Structures are given as C-alpha cells and as structure tokens.
Amino acid sequence: MQALTNRVKVLDQKPLTFKERLYLPAIFSGMLITFSHLFKKKATINYPEQKRPFSPVFRGLHILNRDEEGRERCTACGLCAVSCPAEAITMESAERQKGEEGLYREEKYAAKYEINMLRCIFCGLCEEACPKDAIYLTETFAPANYSRKSFIYGKPDLLIPDPTKEPEAFAKAQGGIKAHKEKVR
Amino acid sequence: MGTTEVIFWFLTAVAVFSALMMVFSKNPVHSVLWLILVFFTISGHYLLMNAQFLFIVNLIVYAGAIMVLFLFVIMLMNMEGDSEPRKNQWMTLAGIISGGTLMLVLVAALKDTGTQRQLVQMKEGQIGLIHHLGMVLFKDYVVPFEISSVLFLSAMVGAVIIGKK
Amino acid sequence: MTNHLNLLPYLSIDFALLFEKLLLIIVVVTGSLVVAMYTTYAERRIAGFLQDRRGPNRAGPFGILQPLADGLKLFMKEDIIPTSSSKWLFIMGPGLAMLTAVMTGAVIPWGSALKIGEKVVSLQIADINIGILFIFGVVSMGVYGIMIGGWASNNKFSLLAAIRGASQIISYELAMGLSLIALLMLTGSLSMKTIVEQQMQGGWGGFLGWNIIYQPLGFLLFLICAFAECNRTPFDLPEAENELNFGYHQEYSSMKLGFYLFAEYINMFISSTVMATLFFGGYDIPFVNEANLANHWGPNIVALLGTVCLLIKSFLFLFVFIWVRWTIPRFRYDQLMDLGWKKMIPLALANMVITGAIVLWLNK
C-alpha cells in the first residue's frame, strides 16, 4: 500500500536484539534524560506570588463602567442581554428621577443588572454590543464559591468604584479598561 | 537464676503457649501465625546456646520462607466452616491412636537418651557458630551433605515436572 | 522481701553497656525515622524537579517542614478499622512492617568507635558474626507485615497485592542472597564490621579496597534486588494503583497507613546503607588514611567524619532510588518473575562460580 504522507513510521516488530534485551543501556539513557531535567527551567510558577501574563484577548469577569463624574453609563437598553448567547444577563430599567442626575448619565438607567457567571461563556459579545461603553470584560476570573446564588453578580459587584469617592480605585479600574481596549484593537 | 535462665524459661513458656494456641485456634491463618511465633521462640533458644547461624537460618528458612508459603496456600483457599467435610468417627479414633503412639515413642526415646544428665551449653558453646558449623559440614560430613543436596535437587526437578503437566 | 527483689543481684547485667546500647538504639531508630521523613520530602521534591515542576515548597523555607505537616495530617485523620477485618491482625500488620524496618539498623556499623574517657563506644548496636544473615532474616520477616495487613483487610485487592508482594520478595531474596555469596567468598566473613574493615585496608586510603571494584556484577544484582525488596518502582507491583487500586494498604487509614508508607522509606534507607557498607566501604573516607588522620585530629572526630561519609553514601543511593522511580515504568507481573528467576538467579550463580574459581586460583 502506498503511504499517504512521508511521515509514516513503519512499526518494527523484530524480536529484541541481545543488546536491547540487556535493558540496562536503555535504562541508563532514560535516567540520563530524567537527570538532565533536574537542571532545566521549571515549567510551573509560584502561583499566588507570581502570575502569568494573560493573553491580550483574555476575557474575564465583567464590570459596569462609570464616566469621569461617577455617573453610571448603562442606560438599560438591553442590547447586551439580546446579544448574549448564553442568556446570562437580566436587567430591569427605571426612569431617572429629578435629583439623580449625578448618579445616572442618561434619562434611563438599569435599576437591576445581573449576570449569572455560571451561565456566562465569557464570549465578550455584550462588550461589543454596548453602544454606551458601559460594560467591559476584565482580566479577573470568577473565584470559587459554595452556592450557585453567589455566582449571580448584581450591580454592587459589577460597578467600578466612584471617582468622586475613591478616585484612586476608579483610576485603576479605568486604566485597566483603557489597556484592555488598546490590546483588543 | 541468671539472665540466661530467665530468658530461657520465658521463651519456653511462650513456645509452649503458642504451640497450644496453634493447635486450638479455629482460624487456620491464626494457627500459622502462632506457629511462626513458635519458630521465633525456638530460634531464641538457639541463640541462648550461642548457635547464631542456626538461629538465623531457622528464621530465614522456616519462619521467613516456608511459613509464607503456608500462609499463601491458606489465604488462597476458601476456609469456610461449611466447606469442611464431616469427619468420620473412626477417623477421629484412628487419629487419636496414631498420635498417642507417636507421643509414646517420642517420650520413650527422650527417656532413654542421656539428655537429662547432660546440660546444654549455655552462652559459650562454639559449635553453633558459622565457622565451626562450616568445618563440620564440609569436612566431617561432606558426603551426607552433598547427598542431601542431590535429594533437594531431585525434589525440585520433580516439582517442575509436575508443574509442567 | 519478695522473691522478686532477691532476683536482682543475680541478674548479671552490665548496666553501663545496657545504657550505652540503649542510647545507640534510640539514636539509630530516631535517626532512621528522621531520614525516612525527609526521604518522603526529597522524593516529592526530586520528582518535581525531574518533571520540570517545583515540588512542595510552601511549608517553611523550601518546604522543609512538609514532612511534619504530612505526619500531622496522618495523625489527625480518622483511624478506620473495617468491620469485616480481623481486628488484631489488622493492627499488627503495620506494626510488624515498622518493626522489621527499624530492626535492620542494629547490625549496621554506623562508624568505627568513639572514645569517651577510657571507654570505647562502638558505633554499632550489635557486632554479631552473622550480620548479613541477620539482615536477610529480618527482611524475610518483613513479608509478614504486608501479608498479614493484606489478608486482615478482608479485601480482594489487598489480598492479591499482599500475595504479589510476598512472592516478589521471596523470589528476589534468593537472587539477593546468591549475589552476596560471591562477595562473602571474597571477604570470608559475615560480620558487617569485618567487611568494612577489610575494605579500609585497600590502596588510595581505602578506595581500592571497596568491594564494588571486585564485584560489579554482584553489586548490580544486589541493587536490582534491593529495589524489588523495597517494593520500589520498577517493582512496585504490590502498590500498583491502576490494577489493584492502592495495593495491600488499601483499607488502611491514618497513622497505620503512615506506618506502612514510612516502613517503605526506612527500608529504602537501610538498604542504601547496606549497599554502602557492603560495596562502597561503609564508613571509610575515600582517599584518606583514617589512622593518620586520627593521629592529627583525634579518633572521635575521624569516627564522626566516617559516619557522615557513610550517610552521604547512603543518601546518594536514596537519590538513585528516587531517580529510578521517576524514570522507569512498572514491570508486568510475569516480566517481574521472569527477570527474577530466569535472569537474576542464573547471573548470580555465574557470578558466584566465576568468583569462586578466581579466589581458588589466586589462593593457590
């Protein structure tokens, strides 16, 4: 039969020669191989202290963005929920009342915004669908937990810190988003 | 009573007790284990007579190898109470008679030998040391020794032939 | 006065000797336990290195407290005795395994002798003239730890593993004994101490007297048999996870399991030391004339240096044990028996005959 590729290796089923039946040369060469691995670079890292860099397109937990004045950007348009293939996002919208202009950027806002992290497949379609720059996927991943309920992330879990109250934490979160955007581009 | 005697009587008591336990225990595996203890105590007696070679060879060969094979067989056999065939009463009687006869012969033989008057050399006997034993075996008793090795060889060959069938 | 008290003066016990030996026994036993503990650590660490990993490095600096943590874990675990097991034998199994493992250290000469004041303290618990045979005897007792444990567990896999282990140990004991007979023809003595002292007489400060130079094949056979006796890979069939779950100690938990695992490591250490003693000069410091050195530095320092030297040699063998474990896969059972009976024993016999012939020829 003609071989399909030139990479075919014919299996050699001859009985072992005397040298092979001594086993010891093969064992010694194997032991040399393992010994040489003593001095090789370790493939693993000391995890909590050292971390591997994520790939540029890594998609982790979501955050809800604020603008510079600390107003929520989300208008509860529902595009993210529509685009979500796993149907992980639910939201309820509400109308902005008088006196809440400092809290919400537009007239409509999300009163409830929940992502079920157990359903989410971290595809990033919500991020692409969002017209208001309101949702981003970060480089953190969901920590382990005991109950299913705790994996439904509400607004308090998702919103980034308020720049008027915690400017440093906000800058950090914003910086992450900017870096993320640049990397994806 | 010196240390040697204390140890001697202790070993003797343990040996007799475990020999009795070997006979009377219901579970064959326990019997084997008691028998191993008997071998240990007897090895201890050898040691008291300064027969170090006999001591260790008794341990290696009897306690270490032969009893392991015994254990093998007993562990692999299904030793349930039901599977044991009921014994004939005549068989029991025959067993008692033959056992009693054997004991009679042994007692008679022991009575006639001079062991009662001749004390065992404790602690300083040299005959059990490996050097002397080697001299005796390979100088005085070479022919019987070699013949017994031929006997063992023939037993091994026989076992192989039976195994091949 | 009771009879009991009257007995004491007649018991001719040398209490100084008793105390000295007791101290030595305690030191040797704790020493081998500590070495066994750290061998578990070394095993995991070296396994990590050989597989390009890091190994345990969390408990303490470089993870050196890991064995303590493991021991504590084993102590804290629930101790389960299966209801269908035979209880006393189940408890006896690990005890026997541990006992036989620790007992072998008694005849190994750990060093020459210390001189404390006028008293000469030998660094060997018992210099009996059948030292090697004693080791064989104790090793053959080691089978019972495995067999009793395996049988008492009342578990098919345990029993199978126990029987495998026992037959493996018996088979390789033969080859081991035969491989040593050639060595004994050269030394003419069964006492470990005499064998070491003979090796120290060789040239180059004792190095040329090492038995490995005269008995390379014997050493190789002994090494392979030592692997089989310690149930180490490639002969770890009694613990073959993929066919017997966990082997003969499957039903064991807590410190009883710990005893079995520990006994294995102690056996490794002791057999490493035996190899170092029989073939690599024991406490002989290579390229150094101990007698000259003792004149300069005093005998005690040299004796301790010799002990350190013996320990270094046996640690090297321990490394080989670990190294082989993470290199060579396990034998199949028929291959194991084939190797033992059809290769090792004939080779050992040939080695014996050749050595015997050469000894006869040289002595003529």
Side-chain angles (χ1 to χ4, degrees), chain C residues 196-223:
Chain C
V196 173
E197 274 162 4
Q198 277 174 357
Q199 295 181 68
M200 287 169 87
Q201 306 300 324
W204 291 5
F207 181 70
L208 284 185
W210 287 8
N211 283 326
I212 173 73
I213 297 170
Y214 308 107
Q215 282 292 325
L217 182 62
F219 168 67
L220 191 70
L221 294 173
F222 190 84
L223 182 75

Side-chain angles (χ1 to χ4, degrees), chain B residues 40 52 63 67-68 75 130, chain C residues 129 133 141 144 151 170 190:
Chain B
F40 264 89
Q52 301 183 358
M67 291 327 286
V68 170
M75 281 178 182
I130 188 162
Chain C
N129 65 11
L133 282 180
M141 292 300 110
Y144 287 117
W151 183 79
I170 293 178
L190 284 167

Side-chain angles (χ1 to χ4, degrees), chain A residues 105-120:
Chain A
R105 196 178 153 96
E106 320 264 334
E107 293 91 61
K108 199 168 131 231
Y109 72 95
K112 199 178 108 188
Y113 193 98
E114 281 178 355
I115 303 179
N116 186 340
M117 291 300 174
L118 292 177
R119 300 199 68 153
C120 180

Side-chain angles (χ1 to χ4, degrees), chain C residues 6 22 30 37 67 109 111 137 180 229 261 263 281 285 288 290 319 345:
Chain C
N6 274 333
L22 206 63
T30 34
M37 266 169 76
L180 267 188
E229 294 284 309
L261 302 181
I285 312 169
V288 170
E290 277 84 356
F319 176 72
I345 290 182

Side-chain angles (χ1 to χ4, degrees), chain C residues 279-295:
Chain C
F279 291 96
F280 286 82
Y283 52 82
D284 173 47
I285 312 169
F287 312 117
V288 170
N289 190 335
E290 277 84 356
N292 283 348
L293 202 66
N295 286 338

Side-chain angles (χ1 to χ4, degrees), chain B residues 1-3 6 27 29-30 33 36 40 52-53 55-56 59-60 63-64 67-68 71-72 75-76 129-130, chain C residues 7 10-13 89 128-130 133-134 136-137 140-141 143-144 147-148 151 159 163 166-167 170 190:
Chain B
M1 207 154 79
T3 329
V6 173
N27 191 330
V29 172
H30 292 177
L33 294 176
I36 293 168
F40 264 89
Q52 301 183 358
F53 184 71
F55 153 73
I56 203 70
L59 279 193
I60 295 176
M67 291 327 286
V68 170
L71 262 187
F72 253 53
M75 281 178 182
L76 286 177
L129 293 186
I130 188 162
Chain C
L7 263 175
Y10 297 102
L11 288 174
S12 50
I13 297 172
L89 291 183
I128 48 178
N129 65 11
I130 44 158
L133 282 180
F134 178 82
F136 271 98
S140 65
M141 292 300 110
V143 184
Y144 287 117
M147 280 201 88
I148 290 174
W151 183 79
L159 182 65
I163 283 170
S167 48
I170 293 178
L190 284 167

